Every structure is written in C-alpha cells, then in structure tokens.
Amino acid sequence: MEMREQTEDPEPNNIESTEPDHKKSTEKPQRITACLVNAAFFGALGSSYLYGYNLSVVNAPALYIKTFYNQTWMERYGEPIGADMVTMLWSITVSIFAIGGLLGALCVTLLTKLIGRKGTLLLNNGFAVIAALLLALGEKARSFEMLIIGRFVMGVDSGIALSALPMYLGEISPRHMRGSIGQFNSILICLGVFTGQVLGLPELLGQESRWNFLFAFLALPALLQLCVLPFLPESPRFLLMERRDEAGAEKAFRAFLGKKDVSKELEEVHAEGWAQNTLHMASVTELLLNPALRWQVITVIVTMACYQLCGLNAIWYYTNGILRDSGFAENVIPYIVLSTGGIETLAAVVSGLVIERIGRRPLLIFGFSAMAFFFGLLTVFLNFQDQYTWMPYLSFTCILAVIASFCSGPGGIPFVLTGELFEQSYRPAAFMIAGIVNWVANFAVGLLFPFMQESLQTYAFLVFLVVCVLGAVYLYFILPETKNKTFMDISQSFAKINKVPLVNKEIENELAIKAGSKEVEENGKVIIDEGP
C-alpha cells in the first residue's frame, strides 16, 4: 500500500485511490533465486515428501506385515492369531496415521509461535527419525506395537508438516511467485507417493526380507533437511511482525529475493503489522468469531474437506481390481500402477508452472469439474466392464484422468489458499482449522469408504461426483482470485461478502502517518493506493 502527499485541491481528509504498484508495467519482474528454491525444495523434502511417501509405502509390504503380526502372536501366546485380530491390528496400523496427523495439526499454532516456521520444520524432523527407527526395528524387536506407535508418530510429523510448510512457503515467496513456490508442497507429495510405489517393487524393497528398509528410508529426507535448512533464512514476515527483528527480516528478504533494496517489501509488511498493531496472535476461537473473516474460514473448510472427500483415495482402491479385470498378470500390475504415480507428479509440476498465469480459482474449479466428469464416465464404464473386453482399458484411462484432474489444482492449491486468505495474526489459527478438517475427513474416508463401497459397489463414485460438483459451484460463486495480490488486498476482496466496511479510515490515516512525510502527519491529507 503506497501513500503520498496530495498537492492539488486540498480538502480535509481527502482520500483518493490510485493504480497499485504491482500493476505497473514498468516494474521489472523479479527472478527466482537459488535461496528461495532451496528453501522450498528442502523444506518440502523433509515434510510433504514424507507425507506422500507414507500414503503409498504400506501397500507393498501389507502381506508381509500381517505375516509378521501372526508370527509374533505365535511366539507370545503359542497359538495362531485369529483372522479378525489380524484385520483389527492392520486397520489400527493404517488408520492411526490420521489420528497422529490430527494431533500434529493441533500443535502447529503453538509451535510456529514459539520457534517460528523454520524452527517448527526442523523440530519436526525429530518425529520422522523416531518414526523411522520404530518402524524399521519393530521386526527385529519382535514387537508389532512398535510399528503401530511408529505410524502414529509419523502421523504427528505429517500433521505438523502439512500446516507449517505451506505457511513457511507462503511467507517467504514474493507475491507473483507465491502460487508456484507453494506448489512445491503438492509436487513433493506426489513425488513421495511415486517413490513409495517404486521402492515397493519386488525387485527393490518389496520383499519379505527387506520390507523394514522401506520404513528406514523415512530418515533420509529428514536428515537431508536437517543438513540444509538451518543455513537458510527464517520467514521474514515472522521475524518482522512477531519477533520485531527488522534487521533479520531485511537480511531474509534480501536472501530470498536476491536484491539489496527490499524497502518496498518491508513497508508492505509494516503496513500489515501496523493495521494489526493492537492484535495478538489470534486463537482459533477468535478467528471463528471474527465476522470480517467468516467467509475466508468457510472457504478453507470447504476446499480442505473437498480435498479429502473428492474420492482420490477410492481410486487407489479400485486400480488393481480394474487392471486384473483387464487381463494383466498379477506380477505386472505393480509396474502399471507406477503410471498413476507418474501422472500424478507430472500434473502437479504442470500446475506449478501455470498457476501464476491461470490463477488459483480457475485451476480449482477446472480440477473439481473434470474430476466430476470422469467419475461419471468411470461409473458407466465399470457397469459395462463385464460385457466388453475393451471396457476395462477405458476405466483405467478414466482413473488416470481423475488423478491428473486432482493434481492440476485440488491436490495442492487448498494449502496455498489457506496461507493467502489470512493476514499474519490469523494465519497459524487458520492452518490449525485447515489441518483439523483435513485429518478428520481423511479418517472419515478411511473408516466409511469400505462400507460405502460394499453397499453401493461401483455407484460409490457418484457420491464423489456430487462432492466435486458442490465444491466447484461453491468456488465459482464465492472465491475471488488471489494471484499477485498482497495479503491485505485479499482480505479486502472478501469485505463485501463478509458485510464489513471496505476501508477503515482511521487505520488508513494511521498507516499514512507512520509511513508518510511530516506534511501528511500535520495536515491529514493523504492519497492512498488501495490495491485491487
């Protein structure tokens, strides 16, 4: 927000809008810096990459882990474990990951406030290493409890990572790159899923004698992050607005932006900070009760719920069965399934490249709409699968299309939006709400989908079609575009729907006095660039 002295036709308290600086064509675009790329890549490597890896890594060794449970039970109690007990132990092993994620999400606000965004990511590596040790050594210790606890600890790690990382990436990125840098979160999730699929192949670690190394691998990305991230700057917004460390913030801005003069960026953060000068870091309750943020909160809840409830988890459930019906040999199916991970990663990369040109809103609406369309086709193809030999191939093509549609927008942008829709004092609480919705919905899908699939069979995809359509319709009517806007600009975009005043004159004058010249302070006559 730029403020300058008015020199013509002075009138008391005259306020006039001008074109914002970021819309001027004369402004030279900044280039992405090595420091920014390293922070995004290594930040995501030890965070979202591990989350993605854990989504797929349990599939390959599932049979071997169940065998280990049976052997351990025999050694302890002298009798084979019952089928129901094996199923229960395996269900706990899988689902406790989401419970740990929920606990991690609940811790994020406190951690990011006490030790910062980067500090939280570094501390989180400790959970990853502990989880890797528990999961990798459980077989040697003859303790299936270690595997269950390890999955829970890894869930805590993922719950913290999926909130702290997008917060960090959003705060270190210049506004014209915020979407692209934020998509590192989604790209590394997809790459983690793909890595879990590759390492789980029988020729690699997907063997009975090697499955524990699949879990030992978890420590490697965490250790790499521990080696690199300490040498990269903390979020400059956190340093300036929460630690009041202007020198540290200036140094961080220079490193991330690759330029010496960062006065404009500092002024932008100062303006946001001064506007919130009487506010402390808001709690979840304060955020929920704030009428000026009502629709931002609803938007985050809707997008994050649709992220989990749009049916991608159900797609993984059906893939192997469709390939079997297509006539592929059982030993060939794992290699064909790799194509799903490859398509997922490719779509996420393309989304990251185009997000700053196309925008968040169109990609989200397109992604959910395309998913709904292909879910409809998939339902039709599955119902005719037994009548035509070539129909399963169309079903598998629809599966790939659903995955690509998801990763084109809905797979990563909800995390970017959560960071963009809120100013600094409300952002940690917003990420806590988003994390709670994410992990509760994740747990609900894992719990309810088997029953839904049993009762609806192939028509289960129609439920996800409805979710995707509702999500697209909501975003079309409610969500404004956020690309290349400051956090204060985005807040103003919601002012009308929240039914709050568009501009607070007292805050404007206060900002002008603090950022402007002496004449502005004496005469109270300012021109304020409100932005879009």
Side-chain angles (χ1 to χ4, degrees), residues 30 33 249-266:
Q30 296 171 350
T33 64
E250 184 176 0
K251 183 178 178 181
F253 267 130
R254 285 176 176 172
F256 286 130
L257 303 182
K259 61 180 186 179
K260 292 184 178 180
D261 183 11
V262 293
S263 56
K264 182 179 177 183
E265 286 75 17
L266 289 171

Side-chain angles (χ1 to χ4, degrees), residues 52-251:
Y53 182 78
N54 274 279
L55 291 180
S56 63
V57 74
V58 294
N59 296 329
L63 183 61
Y64 306 134
I65 294 174
K66 292 176 183 178
T67 301
F68 163 66
Y69 286 175
N70 187 46
Q71 292 173 349
T72 306
W73 193 275
M74 281 280 292
E75 292 169 5
R76 291 184 185 180
Y77 306 109
E79 60 182 17
I81 191 172
D84 291 341
M85 181 59 71
V86 170
T87 302
M88 187 183 75
L89 287 175
W90 178 247
S91 298
I92 292 172
T93 304
V94 173
S95 61
I96 203 168
F97 179 73
I99 297 173
L102 178 60
L103 179 62
L106 292 171
C107 299
V108 165
T109 299
L110 179 62
L111 289 175
T112 53
K113 180 180 178 181
L114 292 178
I115 58 178
R117 283 56 163 153
K118 187 182 83 169
T120 300
L121 293 175
L122 290 172
L123 175 67
N124 203 31
N125 289 305
F127 291 111
V129 172
I130 292 170
L133 290 173
L134 288 168
L135 290 164
L137 299 177
E139 185 189 26
K140 296 290 183 185
R142 313 306 295 171
S143 170
F144 54 76
E145 293 88 352
M146 288 177 65
L147 268 67
I148 294 172
I149 296 171
R151 284 282 292 175
F152 174 78
V153 174
M154 198 63 231
V156 174
D157 173 273
S158 297
I160 294 172
L162 290 187
S163 292
L165 176 68
M167 202 183 309
Y168 180 62
L169 297 182
E171 292 180 5
I172 68 174
S173 309
R175 61 171 172 257
H176 69 281
M177 296 182 191
R178 214 164 43 219
S180 297
I181 296 299
Q183 282 295 79
F184 269 82
N185 179 52
S186 175
I187 293 169
L188 269 291
I189 289 176
C190 297
L191 192 59
V193 170
F194 186 61
T195 304
Q197 292 174 337
V198 172
L199 294 182
L201 292 174
E203 289 78 8
L204 297 176
L205 301 179
Q207 300 181 16
E208 189 168 9
S209 60
R210 300 177 184 173
W211 64 264
N212 52 339
F213 291 105
L214 280 170
F215 296 113
F217 177 80
L218 291 168
L220 180 60
L223 292 174
L224 284 174
Q225 190 188 84
L226 278 172
C227 291
V228 177
L229 201 59
F231 301 100
L232 297 170
E234 174 60 275
S235 158
R237 287 181 166 273
F238 169 78
L239 291 173
L240 187 57
M241 297 180 70
E242 298 183 37
R243 291 288 171 85
R244 308 297 182 187
D245 181 3
E246 183 155 358
E250 184 176 0
K251 183 178 178 181

Side-chain angles (χ1 to χ4, degrees), residues 87 90-91 94-95 313-315 317-318 441-458 460 464:
T87 302
W90 178 247
S91 298
V94 173
S95 61
N313 291 336
I315 285 294
Y317 182 89
Y318 268 91
N442 182 298
F443 183 76
V445 169
L447 183 67
L448 299 178
F449 176 71
F451 300 102
M452 190 169 68
Q453 190 273 331
E454 184 178 346
S455 59
L456 298 177
Q457 298 298 321
T458 55
F464 303 125

Side-chain angles (χ1 to χ4, degrees), residues 8 35 48 86 136 157 275 279 294 302 392 414 422 444 447 491-492 510:
E8 297 181 4
C35 181
S48 56
V86 170
D157 173 273
L279 301 177
R294 182 182 297 116
V302 169
F422 300 90
L447 183 67
S491 293
Q492 290 299 312
E510 182 185 352

